[in-house]
Every structure is written in C-alpha cells, then in structure tokens.
Amino acid sequence: MASNKEFEGPASSEEYVEDYNELIHVRREKLDELRNSGVEPFGRKFNAANYSEQIVNNFEEYEGKYVSVAGRIMAKRGHGKASFANLQDAEGYIQIYARLNDMGEENYEIFKSLDMGDIVGVEGTVFKTKKGEVTVAIEKLTILAKSLRPLPEKWHGLKDVDLRYRQRYMDLVVNPEVRQTFILRSKVIQFIRNFLVEKDFLEVETPMMHPIPGGAAARPFITYHNTLDMDLYLRIAPELYLKRLIVGGFEKVFEINRNFRNEGISTKHNPEFTMLELYQAYADYDDMMKLTEELVTLAAEQVLGEAQLCFQGTEISFNTPWEKIPMLEAVKRFSGLDFNILKSDNEVRNAAKELGLEVDDNDTWGMVLDKVFEEKVEPNLIQPTFIVDYPIEISPLAKKKEEEPGLTYRFELFINGWEMANAFSELNDPIDQKERFLSQLKKRDAGDDEAHMMDEDYINALEYGMPPAGGLGIGIDRLIMLFTNSASIRDVILFPLMRPKD
RNA sequence: GAGCCAUUAGCUCAGUUGGCAGAGCACCUGACUUUUAAUCAGGGUGUCCCAGGUUCGAGCCCUGGAUGGCUCACCA
C-alpha cells in the first residue's frame, strides 16, 4: 500500500523567495523608523481592561472614565493636528481620537505613522463626539504589532473565495459575518456538550489512528508509523471504539471529533469533518430519535432563539414531533415502487431500471432500495424527517428487526434533503456481527473498497457481552451549515482542505 | 474523474472590434484640531495565473497546464 514514507517538505531555504511589493516596502521602512526612534513595534503584553462594545453600549457609565482597549486599526481619518481611527477588538470596534495638544509631538507623529492593520493598545478617556460617536481620547498609545502587509479593502472586504479559505485569518479580520459563523459554531458545540453531560453522558476520546478502519462504509486515508513500521488509517468513524467502551461498562458515552474520509469534495463534503457520536446502554433507536429531536430543537432555541430557520430561502421548522416514515413507505410514496410486493433482487433491479436508475447486476434488494431512496426520496425530505428501518445489507452494525429480518432498527434524520444523523439499535449479538462482517468481506472481495473490514477484536469485545444500546451520529458541520445559512461546508470549517497554490 | 465558468494593481472590479493597462479603496507627497466610506490638491505602484502558438501587433483569438467556484460523478 502506498504510504508517505518519502516525505517531501516545503521549499528549502534556497528556493524561498520573499514576495515584496511597494506597499510592503513602505511598511518595512516605517518599521525601521520606529525602531530607530526607540519604539519597539512588536509589544510583549498589554493589559486591556475594557472591550470596545462594552464601552460603546454603556456610554453613560464610561463617560469621562479612563479606559484601556487593544485591537487592530481598521480605518484612519487624519485631520492635520487631530486624527481619528477605528480600533477593532474581539467584540466590535470603538473610535479612538488622537490630538497633538494632548499627546505631544513625538507621540502624535507615531500615531500618524500608524497603518491600517497595526495592532495597538490605547489608554485614555471616553467622550462622545459632536456627531455622537463614543470615542476614546488617547492619552497613551502602545504599538503592539506593526502590520507589514496591506489589509484588504475596507468596504468590499475580502471576496475572493480562494483567498478567504487559504488566508482565513484575513477573512476573519475583514468579514465580520465570518466571525459570527464560527462563534455560532462554537456555541452549538458547547450546547451539545452541556446537554449531553447534563444527561450523564461521559465525553471520551478514542483513537484517530486505526489499525483497522471501521464503523462506516468509506475509503480511509492511509498513514504510516515509522518505529512500528506499519500502515495506519485515519479513522472513518469512532463507532467501534465507543461500543467497546459500552462493553467496558460505561453506559453513556459521546465523542465530538473529526472523521476522515478519502472521498470526493463538494459543498457538503470535506475530507475531514466533525461528527458527534453517542452510545447509550439499554436504550434503542426510539430513544435515539427522542434524543435527536430534543438535542437539535433545543440547540436551535438556545443558539438561534427559535426552533426554526431559513436556509437559502427555504423555511425549516424544528417543531416536534418530526415526521417518521418507514423507508419502504417513503420509497413507495415518492417513487411508486412497493418493495413489499417486489421481493426478489431481480424484480427490484428491473423496476429501478425502469425508473431510469443505474443498477448493478450484483445489487441486492436492499441495495436497490437504498438507491431508489437516495434518488427519489432524499431530495423531498426538507423538513426534519426520520426515515426508519433500513435494509440489513447496508446496515452491518445495526440490530435486525425481529419481525422483518431484512430490515434493521435503524433511522436516518433528513433535513433540507441532507442526511443529518444516522442511528440504530446496536447489534450486540457477536455471532450475527461476525456474519455481517463476513458478508462485508465478500463485498470487498468483489471490489467494493468501502465495505467493512473484519475487526476480530471488536467481535471479541462483543463476545464478552455488550448491553443492548442505542447509538447516534450527527454531522456537526451540516448542522452548523443550516444554523448559519451557509451554502458550503467550507464556510463552516475554519481551514478547509485546499490544494497548495504551486 | 467530467462539464461549465473565473483568474487584470495589496483589495474590489472595468477593459469595446486584436491597436499606448484603467477606476474606487489602500498607498505616497502636501493641506486640514470632533471626523466617520472624512475632505481637498497631486502621484499609477502591474509576471493582465503559467507555458506555447496565431498575428505587423494579444489582457482579448488558439492549444496545453495551474488554482478556485458551481454542477455532475463519487460519497449511506
């Protein structure tokens, strides 16, 4: 297997060429001038006692008070012997005012030399200008970091999507809505943590590097450990490790972390993405449905203020209870095909072909059902909808239904036509599980490199006895996309994967 | 992986029929002591993504390539 044993790093020192234009040149000169006049342009520390918005929103309280703020110069308006600038900090921005008479010539010259993007600390008193803007009159100015590159344009911001993703730091500086997206993302994840911890779930961390990748049908990334001289796989799902913990006696566990899948990139797929997975002993998939409903609805209420939102023009309501449709019924409703009547592999293959779908001659009843579902049903599931009872062939880790052994106690949640969650009553019969793995291996032998591998140790764990359990996975990035009205998954991932520019 | 589109100054963008490379912001010089997309006067700072080709002449046309976006494929 191909491993990255031959690591080629970035350019060597000889190959490195500095990019250097007029604007950078000017700032480097200003840097030198500051140093020559005894001012250190890169500070060590500054005790900012106040935040911009706190002062702006509580002017009466702060008027005439001495405050200290720190941040980035985002706009400058010089007037000869007096100047204004906007200082942007973590909360917003506040105007600062420099006056020759108050600061003295030397300090005023330093203020005048400031560039957009410079990071400064300001101490002074709060007042309101004639035009009514809350402002800090500078008494002391400290340069904390000289900015050596020009900022993107103040009015249009940074629009080039390529640059925004590659240089997210600049995107965050100049596009305030981007900052809001990631603050909201953090709030949602924080909410989920609190929600689960309050329900006595234990947050755990399981391996990212797996000797055998499992828990999902996906192609893994391969990496290599030098000392052990072995290939390892970046995990495609934490599932099998989390269930080992249920075997071990933890009754409620969850993990919020990255999965890695070596597959196509799209507006809904990033090679690394964040999943919530949780497992609850002695529960089943009905409990998982209730939990999912509660978690998503409360997250929306808590973070958005209401249990509904508008995504790219589509109104979505989280009002419970959400619709619950058996997969067979959903397929019948949207495609007209009744898989209760069409029983043989051959019958369903022909029926699917008549609908214009591409089916493989090896596709079984359940696989065809899944294909028809994806094609004909998924795009219609706009409001939160649970699709329940998936076929066994595509659910190798789910418990089979007692009365319908071709189906499993599994559901997926769809919102806006996207798969948002996947859950089931976990298969805890080790003999059945081993057979499922064996049939997955047959698929691998037939060329399906996304089929599960045999995980002997996982079977071993089940053989000691795993309590019946409900398991749930929620795609966090897609949830955040909905909550932040982001059309692309890259807009909710701080540093999405990009090809190197050269 | 395929199709379509994009790539021009630090940023946002124009660029006509193939005929001297443009604007706004930013930047530089000067004026201005409550401005706020500050204003006023002056200054264009460029590997037109890269490499070839056609042409008297290419930002523009052709071929190949790079990166990105969208759609499709892939991806439960």
Side-chain angles (χ1 to χ4, degrees):
Chain A
M1 277 195 186
S3 302
N4 54 346
K5 291 170 196 174
E6 301 292 324
F7 177 71
E8 285 184 35
S12 72
S13 58
E14 288 105 49
E15 291 167 80
Y16 183 73
V17 184
E18 203 164 356
D19 92 69
Y20 202 74
N21 64 40
E22 172 69 22
L23 297 175
I24 293 173
H25 181 72
V26 168
R27 290 185 179 216
R28 293 290 279 259
E29 282 187 337
K30 285 186 181 176
L31 179 79
D32 292 340
E33 280 164 23
L34 282 171
R35 286 220 163 104
N36 290 340
S37 62
V39 177
E40 172 51 44
F42 296 100
R44 285 203 197 86
K45 181 183 167 78
F46 184 82
N47 288 318
N50 308 91
Y51 281 110
S52 60
E53 232 153 74
Q54 167 199 6
I55 299 170
V56 172
N57 294 339
N58 303 289
F59 174 68
E60 292 74 19
E61 191 186 323
Y62 283 97
E63 183 172 17
K65 296 265 168 62
Y66 192 79
V67 296
S68 56
V69 288
R72 197 183 284 275
I73 303 281
M74 294 303 287
K76 245 185 106 187
R77 298 174 288 278
H79 291 266
K81 296 183 178 61
S83 302
F84 294 91
N86 293 346
L87 191 73
Q88 174 172 295
D89 66 11
E91 288 200 349
Y93 81 93
I94 187 165
Q95 177 166 265
I96 55 177
Y97 177 57
R99 194 162 167 268
L100 175 64
N101 295 15
D102 298 339
M103 298 176 72
E105 193 145 348
E106 205 170 304
N107 284 324
Y108 189 68
E109 281 308 310
I110 290 172
F111 183 89
K112 284 220 299 190
S113 81
L114 288 178
D115 286 306
M116 307 267 282
D118 287 355
I119 294 169
V120 298
V122 161
E123 294 156 77
T125 48
V126 177
F127 74 106
K128 198 177 262 187
T129 63
K130 279 188 209 161
K131 298 285 172 69
E133 176 145 357
V134 177
T135 303
V136 178
I138 305 172
E139 290 176 33
K140 191 168 177 225
L141 173 75
T142 312
I143 301 187
L144 300 172
K146 182 75 194 156
S147 172
L148 298 177
R149 287 182 180 273
L151 238 42
E153 208 230 2
K154 62 184 167 191
W155 198 241
H156 298 93
L158 185 64
K159 286 196 170 166
D160 185 320
V161 184
D162 192 19
L163 274 179
R164 285 186 46 223
Y165 295 153
R166 286 179 199 278
Q167 303 187 20
R168 184 68 90 183
Y169 39 91
M170 272 300 99
D171 193 24
L172 286 165
V173 167
V174 300
N175 295 325
E177 68 283 2
V178 175
R179 157 185 289 271
Q180 287 313 314
T181 292
F182 288 102
I183 290 174
L184 194 142
R185 179 180 175 120
S186 174
K187 282 181 181 167
V188 170
I189 291 172
Q190 196 62 52
F191 169 82
I192 294 172
R193 274 212 167 87
N194 293 341
F195 174 86
L196 292 173
V197 167
E198 271 173 31
K199 289 186 182 297
D200 294 326
F201 279 84
L202 182 75
E203 180 167 16
V204 296
E205 291 144 286
T206 62
M208 292 279 177
M209 296 195 289
H210 291 185
I212 301 165
R219 284 202 298 266
F221 287 94
I222 305 169
T223 187
Y224 174 74
H225 191 284
N226 289 337
T227 307
L228 295 179
D229 184 27
M230 70 185 287
D231 282 332
L232 286 166
Y233 303 87
L234 300 190
R235 77 177 187 193
I236 53 176
E239 173 152 354
L240 301 185
Y241 284 97
L242 291 170
K243 283 192 279 192
R244 282 173 171 97
L245 297 179
I246 299 295
V247 171
F250 289 123
E251 294 188 359
K252 293 176 173 182
V253 294
F254 77 98
E255 180 164 8
I256 299 176
N257 223 318
R258 234 64 65 78
N259 288 346
F260 307 86
R261 297 187 184 174
N262 204 341
E263 287 155 0
I265 296 176
S266 78
T267 47
K268 290 181 226 31
H269 300 83
N270 195 61
E272 54 176 309
F273 62 99
T274 300
M275 278 279 283
L276 159 69
E277 281 203 18
L278 64 86
Y279 293 85
Q280 180 177 347
Y282 311 113
D284 67 4
Y285 80 149
D286 284 315
D287 298 311
M288 293 300 105
M289 264 180 264
K290 286 184 206 113
L291 190 66
T292 306
E293 241 179 26
E294 191 184 355
L295 187 152
V296 173
T297 306
L298 288 180
E301 280 172 1
Q302 172 110 359
V303 176
L304 303 176
E306 54 182 359
Q308 60 178 46
L309 53 81
C310 179
F311 182 81
Q312 309 284 309
T314 303
E315 297 290 338
I316 289 169
S317 166
F318 295 111
N319 286 340
T320 55
W322 298 341
E323 200 175 358
K324 190 186 296 185
I325 315 175
M327 193 179 196
L328 289 179
E329 194 185 313
V331 165
K332 190 175 166 188
R333 188 189 301 179
F334 290 102
S335 77
L337 296 189
D338 190 344
F339 277 67
N340 274 317
I341 296 170
L342 304 164
K343 291 267 188 197
S344 78
D345 294 346
N346 212 19
E347 276 177 308
V348 293
R349 282 197 293 257
N350 289 335
K353 279 179 193 162
E354 276 172 36
L355 285 177
L357 302 184
E358 282 188 27
V359 264
D360 194 278
D361 287 343
N362 296 319
D363 285 352
T364 58
W365 182 86
M367 293 161 77
V368 175
L369 175 65
D370 191 43
K371 281 187 177 173
V372 176
F373 175 78
E374 276 181 29
E375 196 67 29
K376 299 294 176 189
V377 182
E378 277 190 19
N380 299 301
L381 305 177
I382 304 303
Q383 300 305 316
T385 307
F386 291 118
I387 297 295
V388 303
D389 303 345
Y390 277 65
I392 192 164
E393 298 102 300
I394 58 165
S395 313
L397 300 165
K399 193 186 271 292
K400 66 181 151 211
K401 295 195 79 174
E402 281 154 32
E403 62 279 20
E404 299 166 278
L407 300 177
T408 57
Y409 296 110
R410 173 185 178 187
F411 74 82
E412 289 192 344
L413 168 65
F414 289 84
I415 305 176
N416 195 45
W418 307 339
E419 181 200 335
M420 295 293 301
N422 181 21
F424 26 93
S425 298
E426 302 296 338
L427 175 54
N428 65 336
D429 173 346
I431 298 161
D432 188 356
Q433 182 66 74
K434 183 149 195 177
E435 283 165 10
R436 305 278 193 98
F437 275 147
L438 285 171
S439 73
Q440 288 288 310
L441 282 184
K442 278 185 195 145
K443 284 188 174 183
R444 283 194 82 80
D445 292 344
D448 180 358
D449 52 5
E450 281 151 20
H452 280 69
M453 298 182 189
M454 174 63 73
D455 190 332
E456 297 275 7
D457 180 70
Y458 178 66
I459 299 292
N460 194 57
L462 291 188
E463 283 170 349
Y464 281 103
M466 181 174 85
L472 167 67
I474 296 181
I476 297 297
D477 307 280
R478 288 184 186 174
L479 191 65
I480 307 291
M481 284 173 71
L482 277 183
F483 278 25
T484 58
N485 193 23
S486 300
S488 168
I489 197 169
R490 291 180 211 100
D491 291 325
V492 300
I493 292 172
L494 280 166
F495 299 99
L497 185 66
M498 303 291 276
R499 263 196 172 97
K501 200 64 177 172
D502 280 315

